[in-house]
Amino acid sequence: MESGYVTTPFGRRPMSLGMLASQQLAETIEPGMKRSKWKLFRAICEARPALGVTDRALTVLDALLTFYPDDEISEEKGLIVFPSNAQLSLRARGMTPATLRRHLAVLVEAGLILRKDSPNGKRYARRDRAGAIGEAFGFSVAPLLARAVEIENLAAQVIADRELLRATRERLTVCRRDISKLISTAIDEAVPGDWEQMMMMFRDLVARIPRMAGIEELVSLLDEMGLLRDEAVNLLERHIKREKIDANESQNERHKQNSNPDSTSELEPRFETKQGETAVTNNEGMAEPLDVGRQKPPRPSAGYAGRMQGAADPVAGHSLKSFPLGLVLQACPAILDYGPGGAIGNWRDLMSAAVIVRSMLGVSPSAYEEACAAMGPENAATVIACILERGGQINSPGGYLRDLTRRAERGEFAIGPMLMALVRANGGVRRHAG
């Protein structure tokens, strides 16, 4: 295409700024640039929605490219094709002249081809004595070469988005299957937990999947389903650990009982109490000498030890999963007002805000300490934020927290469903965490 050359359409067709911009773009082709016309055409087909062309218009473009003499488009080999309407109609699967003109206009408007009209509107080429084309009038494919990189990038993005959509759909399908079977297993095996509520939440998530879902909708639903699946797995794993511990304790007890099956208190020798010693009774009811001068303090009770070492218990509430801080703040935005400076940037800020809210709600320090011991400080602060968010729905925040603490100690409490319910109730409102 001649540098600085502007061509206007023949007849009544008006000139437009879009045509002028396409002509200017066609002049920016880098020297030596070339592309395979059919590879470029496939890229255009992939990027069709982004380019704003119809499938019928692509049929006309396919027909036009068949008139280009070489497989590679380049300036050295010319950029003008000049078929007659009759020839073009035949190669466009018998398209009628009126339909052909309409789709040629679509290709021009989309900036994929240019018109270079002759003085009389006919399409032809002038040749020199050697038969080489000197000047041609018809359709220029220069915009295809000038926009080749753009078109290839658009096509690559479309392919990547399609692959991501396919992979996300597959992950969502697997996640749906996992949740359904995990909940069914838990109900069949009578595993402690609010499985009916989980099933209702699962059905609600499935009902929200649209028939023609976009990638953003599917990713959001997959995140929520992933949380629900994690909660189900967490409850089931804790139940399995508890059963193993119960089985080990039962086996140890049987071992103790069977180690001396014939021994009775009558057959055991009595210890004689020496001067300076006091007779005490051990756990089996037998008298044992205890040196007063070396008397040891009594062993703490099991309940006391459990309160002091709750984290060491493999099935204690500390095994509750902590959720991301961003999700907690999305579900409970009201807690942000009680953070340092009205913002929460980390878990320490959330726990500080929870102490203030705990006092405001009338929750006793002992109730909050027991919750921290059973759930862990992060989860206890999360529960306080949830109680604040639910506001007037809870008559006694302190009693409610103690009930959740007891359920956590039994392995029957899951924070995930509570958070997801609040996220939906807040309509996905997001505030800056600080």
Side-chain angles (χ1 to χ4, degrees):
M1 187 171 183
E2 299 179 33
S3 178
Y5 183 79
V6 175
T7 180
T8 56
F10 172 77
R12 297 181 178 180
R13 289 192 299 269
M15 182 68 177
S16 68
L17 292 177
M19 293 180 185
L20 184 60
S22 296
Q23 292 180 27
Q24 292 175 340
L25 178 64
E27 296 176 8
T28 62
I29 299 174
E30 297 180 4
M33 187 174 183
K34 57 181 66 177
R35 285 292 189 277
S36 166
K37 64 181 181 181
W38 297 124
K39 288 183 178 179
L40 191 55
F41 179 72
R42 283 195 294 272
I44 294 171
C45 291
E46 290 286 359
R48 180 177 66 83
L51 294 172
V53 293
T54 63
D55 53 347
R56 299 294 301 279
L58 290 182
T59 300
V60 176
L61 180 60
D62 179 38
L64 277 175
L65 290 176
T66 62
F67 289 98
Y68 194 82
D70 297 281
D71 286 336
E72 286 189 335
I73 301 175
S74 65
E75 284 190 291
E76 291 77 11
K77 298 174 183 177
L79 297 172
I80 306 293
V81 292
F82 40 90
S84 66
N85 280 346
Q87 293 174 320
L88 190 56
S89 176
L90 286 175
R91 296 196 187 183
R93 286 33 171 198
M95 191 176 290
T96 63
T99 305
L100 188 65
R101 287 193 295 270
R102 186 168 67 253
H103 291 301
L104 283 170
V106 170
L107 293 173
V108 173
E109 286 294 325
L112 296 178
I113 61 173
L114 286 174
R115 293 181 184 273
K116 186 180 178 183
D117 290 343
S118 66
N120 60 5
K122 300 294 184 181
R123 300 176 202 135
Y124 58 88
R126 298 186 185 279
R127 300 178 183 272
D128 56 20
R129 292 182 178 181
I133 296 177
E135 187 175 13
F137 298 96
F139 296 105
S140 171
V141 295
L144 294 182
L145 198 56
R147 298 179 63 185
V149 175
E150 175 197 353
I151 291 170
E152 290 165 351
N153 289 338
L154 287 173
Q157 185 62 48
V158 169
I159 294 172
D161 290 345
R162 184 171 62 241
E163 180 62 23
L164 179 60
L165 183 63
R166 181 196 63 78
T168 304
R169 284 186 178 276
E170 289 180 352
R171 291 172 58 196
L172 189 62
T173 299
V174 172
C175 193
R176 286 176 59 182
R177 181 186 67 199
D178 292 346
I179 295 173
S180 177
K181 294 196 174 184
L182 288 171
I183 294 178
S184 297
T185 300
I187 294 175
D188 293 342
E189 298 291 338
V191 177
D194 198 352
W195 299 105
E196 294 296 334
Q197 181 186 3
M198 280 195 178
M199 179 62 76
M200 292 176 60
M201 295 177 66
F202 173 61
R203 290 173 179 170
D204 178 61
L205 288 173
V206 172
R208 287 165 51 195
I209 301 177
R211 293 186 61 184
M212 300 295 292
I215 185 62
E216 292 183 358
E217 295 173 300
L218 291 181
V219 168
S220 176
L221 287 169
L222 181 60
D223 288 342
E224 292 191 50
M225 284 198 178
L227 289 174
L228 194 60
R229 178 176 59 184
D230 290 345
E231 281 299 319
V233 171
N234 188 30
L235 288 173
L236 290 173
E237 287 180 345
R238 287 161 57 194
H239 178 70
I240 293 172
K241 290 179 181 178
R242 189 182 304 107
E243 285 189 334
K244 287 182 178 179
I245 291 174
D246 292 343
N248 290 338
E249 290 179 350
S250 177
Q251 183 177 1
N252 292 338
E253 185 66 25
R254 287 196 301 271
H255 176 72
K256 289 179 181 179
Q257 293 175 356
N258 296 333
S259 59
N260 291 305
D262 297 328
S263 64
T264 62
S265 59
E266 289 77 8
L267 298 177
E268 291 293 337
R270 292 184 177 272
F271 292 96
E272 295 181 358
T273 305
K274 299 180 181 179
Q275 186 177 3
E277 294 182 343
T278 303
V280 296
T281 303
N282 63 10
N283 292 335
E284 284 75 24
M286 298 184 298
E288 293 182 345
L290 177 63
D291 190 338
V292 177
R294 294 181 297 169
Q295 184 173 353
K296 297 181 181 179
R299 182 185 300 273
S301 65
Y304 177 83
R307 288 193 297 271
M308 296 299 293
Q309 300 178 2
D313 183 356
V315 295
H318 261 102
S319 61
L320 280 176
K321 173 183 176 182
S322 295
F323 288 86
L325 179 61
L327 176 64
V328 175
L329 297 179
Q330 182 185 355
C332 311
I335 194 74
L336 287 166
D337 297 330
Y338 300 90
I344 292 176
N346 50 52
W347 280 107
R348 183 182 296 275
D349 292 346
L350 179 64
M351 289 186 281
S352 298
V355 172
I356 298 173
V357 172
R358 185 273 305 165
S359 178
M360 183 188 72
L361 294 175
V363 177
S364 66
S366 61
Y368 187 60
E369 289 173 5
E370 291 176 3
C372 289
M375 306 176 189
E378 293 88 354
N379 288 323
T382 300
V383 171
I384 289 292
C386 292
I387 294 175
L388 173 66
E389 195 67 30
R390 295 180 64 179
Q393 300 177 21
I394 300 174
N395 295 328
S396 175
Y400 183 66
L401 181 62
R402 288 187 186 276
D403 178 64
L404 294 183
T405 300
R406 288 192 294 269
R407 290 173 57 189
E409 290 173 343
R410 297 194 301 268
E412 299 174 358
F413 173 56
I415 297 179
M418 179 186 295
L419 286 175
M420 286 187 290
L422 289 174
V423 168
R424 289 196 301 273
N426 290 332
V429 176
R430 294 180 182 271
R431 291 175 60 181
H432 293 292

